[in-house]
């Protein structure tokens, strides 16, 4: 292994910059002559806008412009789009209501941007916004997910009956119905997957900058995928042709999905900049983030798992209502469908699975992908129903799972829900997790807890996850509006410094280190001589960005493929310099060597020769050393793992404490174990947050009650246990690195482990988040004398 | 935040003068409640009078059998004070449970009591320990001080200078935190004082209140078990997304029992 190559826990190169305040986030960037924007947002969840009078605001000190929906219309710009066409089971297209940049005639959620005030300073803009008079006609709001498509509910979009976006299905319904009818046992459960606010540490921000001379725009924005932002803003919003729009996403402070999407504010900043002929900056306040960053999850589900007499799963039937919020956000439609139902096989060889999904509009903040996106919802459902089935059958939950695992010999394995798993060994991580958790000692620990008056429970989760959504032809056939390949360019300089330009984007994941390790490993370049460049459409080749744990499995593989091209070209040059046949040249540890001899040229020498080709005959190779690769994977990658959680419940208060949490993941090959561990820690914290403390609360009028950190509870270190983390390894079969992806697993796998442990402790299910009061009430009800049956 | 005039007087007299001169003046201690209120544009004072420069409001000292804590003493100072720890360990502990380190490093006891947030911790201590609120013009007994939701006996232009806590024989505090803000959903202080047992509750009602039947039970037998059969009516208690009135009522008993066990 090269020093600091694959497998080394190299310290993150980027952290010195971040922890010494040297990061350059959008809000750190100031353009000459910059003006500031404030968005006036609807205080109502649903209201007709009868008129907007901005005359007083326009006269206020420092105000340069007040924009409304009419200005967007006058500019001829369109609205935001949802980039994934999902078709209903009757073959009709999903119903995408218009998603204007600034409200046109109607506000559909609390936080919907109604007007934009641009002024010399931010405070002037904010002051003036109070003078904008909006004549609202407040309408009743549709809020609850499960009721949204019932008759009589307020209609979010004109002409979209019953707020129904689509009614989609996957799987063989007849086979499932038949298997359920014939089953020895059927476990039936209802689920609510709670809505979450993503809460990236850095609030969203944008600077729109119109250049009169070139008639082009530069947009600095907090984006996970600047090229996708450029594409959508150019081709769909219609701001400018792609070559007239440069999108820069510099350092970005976390996204968790919420910064994938194309948002109103960044488009509005571009328009405002053209109108006032100055750069226009907007940075969200935290209270804006709560209502305007796309939320996550929000499903209501009924599921039935059928088994034969031996507890072998014979069928799974699922019906889900998914809340899309007031508008279809950029990728919202694929989350409760292709990223959800396709995962319902889990680690099990259930032969028949059917899932039906009704997506609904409500007068709430739009919902879209959030760490895990669909997969946590699938995993929560499946791993809860499996554990419940084990309880009902009186079988140990680990044993029931093992009985149903897809065996290692069965790969590649075609699931009944479209995916083909390439590889896995589920028993391996289950075994390791049982050992690390000291499962054998659980009964003793439970007895000890009981002696102290506490209830102890243990819960499992054996998750499957699908990363690096691909290949493009397949996702295209399922409705995706884009290809999901990735690009990389490796560029050496005369002096051997290596620039890696990637189409992925790092916003906390540590790409600058991991990708440098790939170069160190493949090309023998010290990582300090590797610079990873990302986040600027004018610098990097077109790329699809970072989400779905794709950066390494797709983007990393593109880098490796580009490195192979560097080696191939280098071999030609080295062969000439060493007067050997190209076929006799080997490349290892940064040197080209004639096989079986000690004659060699370093990569640095070869690179120098490529740029100063004084000894290279015409026509042998082009000068220079710069190679590009585009990589479209053959399949998703399929990380999997076993999580075991042990909780202790205080019966007097209902407080749940996590006593131990074991996570054993199979991420395939691991490039940087320390970074992977960090990703798992963060994911677990978010998943445990969803299980225990996080949750959006809307009132009936559509006001978000949990709209600040005083009420929306984020996970903190002091509420989390010391995680016990380990990995097993089955290398991915269709990329040469053997990597799978690790960014979301923790958030996907952990909620059911926690919730199953609570159910085990208290004997009844409660919904997420399992707040002390809910647990206490469940205990109260449990302690009520049972009525005679 | 709207614009306002800023003052930083160096004496209580100057602060009161500035307050009286202002059309709508506001005193500022650590700003932990005031600044967020201003940032959210929920208040528009004409003048903000910063108490940070007034020396006489700072400091913690022992005065005979009482602990006198200056209004501007930060929670972190109380939680870090060996004097408080040795004289009233339960109070020392309570201060350490307030918010998080950032809040403890800015928030003050005077600000907390002037504000009388229903979920604040100090009100339970003030009531249970039978403290006296000293202001620029008078002394107010704890039992007369808390009058309602964010309401106290203070006049509009009255300034808290210090709080005097008589040393109890022993006291203990138990807090059930709001998981998000870390304020008290329910906090109970139990104290054995020269004047008998006092039990005070914060978080549960519009303002801190005492529980006479709990006090009687503990006067009979000072033990957690003595409270086992008692209950609190949920009627009139706070109810929000974190805890219903019913749950709060239940927690009052549980926390009271835990406070008794924590008594030192
Ligand atoms: C995130 C967070 C968590 C918190 N958690 C807790 C908690 O767990 N427990 C808890 O008890 N508290 C908690 N607090 C409250 C905090 O500890 C402060 O006590 C409270 O915010 C008052 O702050 P301050 O002292 O800075 O006063 P300021 O905010 O400056 O003032 C508050 C009010 O008191 C008035 N005032 C201030 N000083 C005086 C005075 N000497 N005389 C008369 N009037 C005065 C001001 O005019 C103002 O109206 C929390 C606060 C935050 C922001």
């Amino acid at each position: 292994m090269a020093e600091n190559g694959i497998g080394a826990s190299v310290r993150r190169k980027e952290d010195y910059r971040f922890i010494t305040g040297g990061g350059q986030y959008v809000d750190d960037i100031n353009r000459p002559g910059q003006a500031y924007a404030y968005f006036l947002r609807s205080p109502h969840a649903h209201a007709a806008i009868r008129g907007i009078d901005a005359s007083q605001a326009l006269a206020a000190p420092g105000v340069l412009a007040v924009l409304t929906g009419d200005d967007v219309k006058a500019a001829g710009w369109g609205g935001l789009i949802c980039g994934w066409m999902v078709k209903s089971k009757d073959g009709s297209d999903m119903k995408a209501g218009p998603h204007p940049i600034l409200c046109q005639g109607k506000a559909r959620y609390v936080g919907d941007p109604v007007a934009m005030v641009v002024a010399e300073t931010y405070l002037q803009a904010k002051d003036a916004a109070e003078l904008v008079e909006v004549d609202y006609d407040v309408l009743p709001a549709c809020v609850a997910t499960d009721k949204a498509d019932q008759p009589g509910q307020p209609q979010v979009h004109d002409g979209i009956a019953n707020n129904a976006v689509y009614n989609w299905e996957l799987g063989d319904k007849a086979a499932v119905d038949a298997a359920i009818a014939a089953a020895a046992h059927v476990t039936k459960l209802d689920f609510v997957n709670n809505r979450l606010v993503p809460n990236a540490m850095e609030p969203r921000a944008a600077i729109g900058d119109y250049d009169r001379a070139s008639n082009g725009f530069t947009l600095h924005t907090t984006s996970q995928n600047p090229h996708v932002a450029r594409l959508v803003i150019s081709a769909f919003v219609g701001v400018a042709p792609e070559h007239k729009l440069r999108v820069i996403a510099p350092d970005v402070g976390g996204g968790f999905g919420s910064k994938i999407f194309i948002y109103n504010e960044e488009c509005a900043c571009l328009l405002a900049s053209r109108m006032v002929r100055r750069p226009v900056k907007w940075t969200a306040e935290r209270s804006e983030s709560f209502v305007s960053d796309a939320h996550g999850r929000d499903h209501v589900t009924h599921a039935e798992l059928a088994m034969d007499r031996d507890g072998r799963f014979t069928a799974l039937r699922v019906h889900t209502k998914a809340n899309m919020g007031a508008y279809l956000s950029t990728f919202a439609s694929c989350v409760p469908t292709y990223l959800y139902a396709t995962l319902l096989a889990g680690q099990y060889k259930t032969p028949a699975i059917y899932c039906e999904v009704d997506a609904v509009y409500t007068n709430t903040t739009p919902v879209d992908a959030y760490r895990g996106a669909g997969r946590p919802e699938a995993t929560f459902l499946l791993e809860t129903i499996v554990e419940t089935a084990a309880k009902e059958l009186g079988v140990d939950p680990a044993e029931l799972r093992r009985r149903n695992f897809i065996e290692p010999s069965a790969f590649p394995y075609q699931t009944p829900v479209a995916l083909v798993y390439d590889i896995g060994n589920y028993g391996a991580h289950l075994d390791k997790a049982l050992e690390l958790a000291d499962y054998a000692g659980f009964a003793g620990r439970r007895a000890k807890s009981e002696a102290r008056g506490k209830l102890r429970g243990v819960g499992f989760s054996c998750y499957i996850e699908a990363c690096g959504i691909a290949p493009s032809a397949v996702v295209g056939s399922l409705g995706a509006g884009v290809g999901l390949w990735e690009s990389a360019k490796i560029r050496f300089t005369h002096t051997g410094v290596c620039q890696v330009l990637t189409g992925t984007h790092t916003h906390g994941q540590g790409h600058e280190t991991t990708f440098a390790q790939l170069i160190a490993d493949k090309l023998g370049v010290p990582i300090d001589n590797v610079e990873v460049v990302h986040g600027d459409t004018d610098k990097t080749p077109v790329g699809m960005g970072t989400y779905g744990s794709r950066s390494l499995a797709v983007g990393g593989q593109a880098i490796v493929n580009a490195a192979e091209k560097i080696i191939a070209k280098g071999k030609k040059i080295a062969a000439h310099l060493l007067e050997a046949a190209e076929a006799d040249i080997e490349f290892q540890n940064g040197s080209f060597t004639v096989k079986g001899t000690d004659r060699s040229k370093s990569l640095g020498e070869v690179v120098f020769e490529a740029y100063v080709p004084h000894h290279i005959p015409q026509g042998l190779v082009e000068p220079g050393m710069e190679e590009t690769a585009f990589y479209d994977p053959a399949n998703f990658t399929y990380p999997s793992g076993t999580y075991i959680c042990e909780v202790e419940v205080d019966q007097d208060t209902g407080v749940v404490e996590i006593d131990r949490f074991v996570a054993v993941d199979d991420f395939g090959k691991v490039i940087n174990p320390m970074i992977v561990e960090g990703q798992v820690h963060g994911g677990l914290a978010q998943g445990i947050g969803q299980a225990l403390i996080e949750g959006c609360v809307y009132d009936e009028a559509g006001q978000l009650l949990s709209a600040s950190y005083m009420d929306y509870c984020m996970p903190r270190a002091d509420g989390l246990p010391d995680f016990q983390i380990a990995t097993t390894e089955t290398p991915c079969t269709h990329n040469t690195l053997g990597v799978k992806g690790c960014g979301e697993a923790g958030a996907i796998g952990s909620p059911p482990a926690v919730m199953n442990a609570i159910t085990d402790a208290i004997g009844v299910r409660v919904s997420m988040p399992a707040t002390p009061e809910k647990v206490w009430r469940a205990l109260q009800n449990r302690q009520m004398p049972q009525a005679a049956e | 935040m709207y614009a306002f005039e800023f003052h930083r007087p160096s004496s209580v007299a100057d602060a009161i003068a500035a307050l009286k001169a202002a059309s709508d003046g506001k005193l500022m201690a650590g700003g932990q409640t005031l600044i967020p209120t201003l940032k959210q544009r929920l208040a528009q004072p004409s003048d903000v009078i910063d108490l940070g420069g007034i020396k006489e409001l700072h400091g913690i000292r022992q005065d005979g059998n009482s602990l006198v804590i200056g209004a501007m003493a930060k929670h972190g100072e109380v939680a870090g004070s060996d004097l408080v720890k040795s004289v009233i360990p339960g109070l020392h502990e309570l201060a350490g449970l307030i918010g998080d380190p950032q809040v403890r490093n800015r928030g003050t006891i005077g600000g907390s009591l002037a504000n009388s947030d229903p979920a604040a911790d100090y009100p339970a201590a003030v009531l249970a320990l039978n403290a006296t609120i000293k202001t620029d013009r008078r002394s107010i007994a704890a039992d007369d001080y808390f009058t309602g939701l964010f309401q106290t006996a203070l006049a509009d232009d009255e300034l808290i200078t210090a709080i005097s806590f008589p040393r109890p024989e022993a006291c203990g505090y138990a807090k059930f935190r709001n998981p998000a803000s870390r304020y008290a959903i329910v906090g109970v202080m139990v104290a054995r004082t020269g004047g008998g047992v006092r039990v005070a509750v914060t978080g549960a009602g519009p303002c801190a209140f005492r529980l006479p039947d709990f006090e009687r039970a503990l006067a009979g037998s000072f033990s957690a078990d003595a409270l086992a059969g008692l209950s609190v009516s949920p009627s009139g208690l706070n109810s929000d997304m974190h805890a219903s009135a019913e749950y709060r009522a239940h927690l009052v008993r549980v926390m009271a029992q835990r406070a008794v066990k924590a008594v030192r």
Side-chain angles (χ1 to χ4, degrees):
Chain A
M1 178 181 94
E3 191 194 1
N4 293 337
I6 291 174
S9 283
V10 179
R11 284 229 195 145
R12 296 181 8 140
K13 292 176 64 170
E14 48 270 73
D15 282 352
Y16 178 78
R17 173 167 100 244
F18 292 143
I19 63 184
T20 58
Q24 279 289 302
Y25 299 88
V26 172
D27 193 54
D28 294 318
I29 294 164
N30 293 299
R31 310 286 295 161
Q34 173 178 289
Y36 294 82
Y38 177 81
F39 286 90
L40 181 65
R41 296 177 185 278
S42 172
H44 309 294
H46 198 190
I49 298 170
R50 299 275 170 241
I52 301 175
D53 179 358
S55 52
Q56 278 192 66
L58 278 165
V63 172
L64 302 168
V66 178
L67 282 72
T68 67
D70 287 346
D71 296 289
V72 182
K73 217 188 268 175
W77 290 12
L80 299 174
I81 55 137
C82 178
W84 195 304
M85 171 54 71
V86 170
K87 287 186 187 291
S88 286
K89 66 185 187 195
D90 66 8
S92 62
D93 288 353
M94 69 185 186
K95 309 281 185 299
H99 189 175
I101 304 296
L102 295 170
C103 287
Q104 295 188 352
K106 215 176 183 199
R108 293 187 175 84
Y109 66 95
V110 171
D112 209 354
V114 173
M116 176 196 203
V117 182
V118 182
E120 295 288 346
T121 71
Y122 178 68
L123 283 179
Q124 285 175 330
K126 195 170 175 177
D127 284 343
E130 292 185 4
L131 303 173
V132 176
E133 280 178 27
V134 185
D135 182 7
Y136 290 109
D137 188 358
V138 180
L139 302 168
C142 168
V143 179
T145 309
D146 54 343
K147 297 204 193 85
D149 57 359
Q150 302 300 299
Q153 280 288 308
Q155 297 296 292
V156 179
H157 290 276
D158 297 339
I160 299 182
N162 297 325
N163 299 315
V165 182
Y166 52 72
N167 164 239
W168 175 89
E169 66 176 353
L170 181 69
D172 185 341
K173 182 169 192 304
V176 168
D177 290 349
I180 288 178
H185 183 81
V186 181
T187 297
K188 301 178 183 181
L189 286 183
D190 291 301
F191 299 87
V192 174
N193 205 289
N194 44 330
R195 178 189 275 244
L196 305 173
V197 179
N199 281 308
M201 195 181 296
E202 178 207 22
R204 286 189 297 116
I207 309 171
D209 194 350
Y210 173 72
D211 176 42
R212 195 171 49 83
S214 65
N215 192 27
F217 294 86
T218 301
L219 173 66
H220 283 84
T221 186
T222 47
S223 174
Q224 299 179 211
N225 39 292
H227 276 103
V228 175
R230 185 180 73 173
L231 174 65
V232 171
I233 294 171
S234 169
F236 295 94
V237 183
V239 170
E242 274 194 280
H243 67 293
K244 296 288 187 189
L245 175 61
R246 176 181 182 186
V247 178
I248 301 173
D251 285 331
V252 171
F256 312 114
S258 69
K259 292 173 182 166
I260 300 171
F261 322 124
I262 319 308
Y263 285 97
N264 314 59
E265 296 87 354
E266 45 201 3
C267 300
C269 282
L270 291 170
L271 180 58
S273 173
R274 193 173 71 182
M275 287 173 68
V276 305
R277 297 290 157 111
R278 291 169 57 175
V280 174
K281 180 186 215 170
W282 165 76
T283 304
E285 297 186 9
R286 183 58 67 180
S287 8
E288 289 183 278
S289 305
F290 269 94
V291 294
S292 73
D293 292 1
H295 291 173
R297 319 280 191 257
D298 204 339
H299 284 192
V300 176
T301 294
H302 177 75
E304 300 177 12
L305 177 67
M307 281 146 276
D308 67 14
R309 209 165 286 106
D310 303 321
R312 284 178 216 286
F313 307 152
T314 55
L316 176 68
R317 184 163 60 197
V318 176
H319 179 258
T320 291
K321 267 188 204 177
N323 192 341
M324 301 278 99
Y327 302 101
L328 288 188
S329 173
T330 315
F331 289 111
S333 55
C334 72
V335 175
T337 51
Y338 295 106
L339 297 179
Y340 168 67
T342 49
L343 273 295
L344 288 171
Q347 302 184 0
Y348 313 111
K349 50 194 176 199
T350 316
I353 299 173
Y354 175 75
C355 180
E356 184 176 10
V357 179
D358 284 300
V360 295
Y361 285 116
T362 58
N363 292 113
T364 62
T365 297
V367 179
D368 206 325
Y370 167 69
R371 202 170 192 170
R375 293 153 286 168
E377 295 90 319
T379 304
F380 177 61
L381 174 171
L382 188 61
E383 288 306 292
T384 308
I385 204 165
V386 166
E387 190 118 336
T388 308
K391 293 274 151 75
E392 289 176 358
L393 296 176
V395 179
D396 181 275
E399 165 54 26
L400 186 69
R401 287 180 168 88
R402 203 187 294 276
R403 207 176 283 176
N404 285 283
F405 277 163
I406 301 159
E407 294 93 2
S409 59
F411 295 100
Y413 177 81
Q414 171 70 60
T415 72
V417 276
L419 301 180
V420 180
Y421 299 165
D422 64 333
I423 193 168
N425 184 349
Y426 308 139
H429 42 67
L430 177 60
D431 288 342
K432 198 161 188 172
L434 288 170
E435 185 194 318
L436 279 174
D438 182 27
Y439 187 54
F442 172 72
R445 290 191 294 278
R446 173 175 260 179
K448 273 197 192 134
S449 295
E450 274 168 11
R452 287 187 287 114
K454 304 258 177 136
L455 300 172
R456 182 177 281 263
V458 63
F460 289 81
S461 166
C462 295
Y463 76 91
I464 188 92
E465 117 102 311
C467 303
I469 177 168
S472 297
V474 171
V475 296
S477 74
L478 301 178
V482 290
L484 287 166
W485 41 266
E486 198 42 78
S487 68
K489 185 193 280 285
I490 297 178
R491 175 189 293 151
F492 279 92
T493 64
H494 279 69
T495 53
V497 173
C498 178
Q499 270 191 331
V500 178
L501 299 97
T502 171
T504 65
H505 186 277
T506 184
H507 28 279
Q509 297 90 338
H511 294 177
E512 290 171 39
T513 306
T514 304
F515 290 173
Q517 286 181 256
L518 296 181
I519 297 296
D521 199 273
K522 297 296 171 196
L523 298 179
V525 179
I527 62 166
D528 288 342
N529 289 355
V530 182
E531 185 203 11
V532 175
V533 179
H534 64 90
D536 184 341
T537 56
D538 269 11
K539 287 186 182 168
T540 70
V542 176
M544 300 314 296
T546 286
Y547 37 81
S549 304
R550 69 190 301 274
S551 297
L552 181 62
V554 191
Q557 185 64 40
I559 292 170
V560 169
N561 291 357
E564 293 298 339
K565 292 185 183 179
I566 296 278
I567 294 169
K569 181 169 181 178
K571 277 186 178 171
K572 286 196 167 70
I573 297 171
H576 176 73
L577 297 177
L578 294 165
E579 298 174 335
E582 196 187 322
D584 289 338
I585 303 289
E586 283 178 337
F587 181 72
Q588 232 180 2
N589 299 330
S591 287
F592 296 93
T593 308
V594 183
K595 259 183 222 162
T597 75
D598 61 357
R599 290 192 300 128
S600 72
K601 288 278 175 194
S602 71
L603 177 62
E605 290 172 291
V606 169
V607 165
F608 188 79
E609 192 61 40
Y611 281 104
V612 188
H614 292 170
H615 310 104
I616 296 185
Q618 273 289 334
L620 178 69
V621 290
E622 290 175 9
M625 194 58 96
E626 174 169 316
E627 295 289 351
T628 302
F630 284 75
Y631 171 66
D632 198 351
N635 193 354
F636 287 81
T637 64
Y638 298 98
S640 63
T642 297
Y643 292 177
I644 302 178
C645 175
E646 220 168 289
V647 300
E648 204 173 54
V649 177
D650 180 337
Q651 304 194 66
D652 293 331
T653 58
V655 167
V656 174
E657 201 174 308
I658 298 182
D659 179 62
R660 57 180 68 196
F661 198 104
V662 170
V664 182
D665 295 288
D666 177 356
F667 295 134
K669 279 263 184 262
V670 169
I671 308 299
N672 183 322
M674 179 197 70
I675 287 179
V676 166
E677 195 172 328
Q679 288 290 311
V680 173
H681 278 208
L684 292 179
Q686 273 174 309
I688 291 169
Q690 171 167 29
L692 293 182
I693 51 179
E694 289 189 54
C696 280
V697 180
Y698 277 100
D699 71 9
E700 281 177 8
Q703 294 292 334
L704 182 63
L705 300 181
S706 53
S708 84
Y709 292 132
M710 295 305 263
D711 288 309
Y712 189 93
C713 186
M714 293 294 286
R716 301 180 209 191
D718 66 356
L720 300 168
D722 241 340
F723 301 123
Q724 287 170 273
I725 286 175
T727 53
T728 56
E729 185 180 311
T730 58
C732 173
T733 59
H734 54 81
N735 60 51
T736 63
L737 281 169
V739 297
K740 296 180 178 174
C742 67
E744 296 160 292
I748 292 169
S750 53
V754 176
M755 298 307 291
N756 285 334
I758 294 172
T759 311
D760 187 49
I762 68 175
V764 262
R765 282 181 70 221
V766 297
S767 62
M768 298 193 289
T771 59
E773 176 159 6
K774 276 191 209 164
V775 173
W776 173 74
R777 281 190 184 277
L779 286 167
Q780 294 302 106
N781 295 336
R782 193 188 69 158
Q783 281 155 9
M784 295 232 294
Q786 292 288 309
E789 298 215 356
Chain B
M1 202 180 287
Y2 301 104
F4 50 77
E5 288 296 323
F6 181 76
H7 310 261
R8 193 172 161 90
S10 52
S11 72
V12 168
D14 287 352
I16 296 292
L19 193 55
K20 290 201 155 130
S23 63
D24 181 17
K26 263 285 179 202
L27 301 175
M28 181 172 81
Q32 289 299 284
T33 291
L34 185 64
I35 297 288
T37 310
L38 298 182
K39 284 180 91 171
Q40 291 175 72
R41 301 187 164 212
L42 298 172
Q44 191 171 8
S46 60
D47 299 68
V48 169
I49 301 141
D50 179 2
L51 304 179
I54 306 178
K55 282 214 180 63
E56 55 197 287
L57 298 179
H58 289 269
I60 303 171
R61 63 193 164 82
Q62 191 164 5
D63 182 8
N65 209 24
S66 289
L67 196 60
V68 180
I69 301 182
M72 285 299 288
K74 294 175 181 129
H75 311 325
E77 288 172 45
V78 176
S81 159
D82 289 339
L83 179 63
V84 178
K85 191 174 181 180
S86 71
V87 179
I88 314 180
L91 185 62
H92 176 262
E93 210 164 282
L94 174 147
L97 292 172
I98 295 174
D100 47 48
Q102 289 85 342
V103 167
R104 291 197 290 276
N105 286 334
R106 293 294 305 169
T108 66
I109 190 167
S112 175
L113 292 171
N115 197 45
S116 185
D117 190 301
D121 293 289
Y122 274 128
V126 164
L127 263 188
L129 298 172
N130 198 16
T132 303
I133 313 289
K134 310 222 178 241
T135 77
D136 61 299
R137 64 201 67 165
R138 58 177 170 153
S139 292
I140 309 173
D143 285 326
D144 301 330
Y145 181 76
F146 302 102
T147 56
L149 185 67
F150 294 105
Q151 297 291 315
T152 68
L154 289 177
D156 278 349
D157 60 356
E158 195 167 1
L159 189 154
I160 300 177
T161 54
I163 296 88
S164 172
F165 291 94
R167 181 180 201 156
E169 289 163 23
C171 68
Y173 183 64
K175 173 179 185 178
F176 192 85
R177 286 174 149 178
N178 175 319
S181 71
R182 309 241 154 158
Y183 271 98
I185 281 180
V186 168
V188 180
M189 184 169 266
V190 172
R192 277 205 324 258
T193 71
V197 175
R198 293 172 68 102
V199 178
V201 180
T202 191
C207 63
F209 60 91
R210 287 173 63 189
L211 286 175
D213 51 338
F214 280 48
E215 292 176 355
R216 273 192 300 277
L218 290 174
S221 152
F222 196 82
S223 71
D225 286 347
L227 302 177
L230 298 182
S231 63
V232 174
S233 163
S235 135
L237 295 191
N238 304 334
S239 185
D240 55 33
M241 75 177 87
H242 303 286
S244 66
E246 228 182 331
Y247 182 53
R248 275 190 164 85
H250 165 76
L251 286 177
V252 168
R253 205 250 307 135
V254 174
M255 290 300 126
Q257 287 181 301
R258 292 188 181 178
V260 171
K261 288 185 186 154
V263 160
R264 280 189 287 137

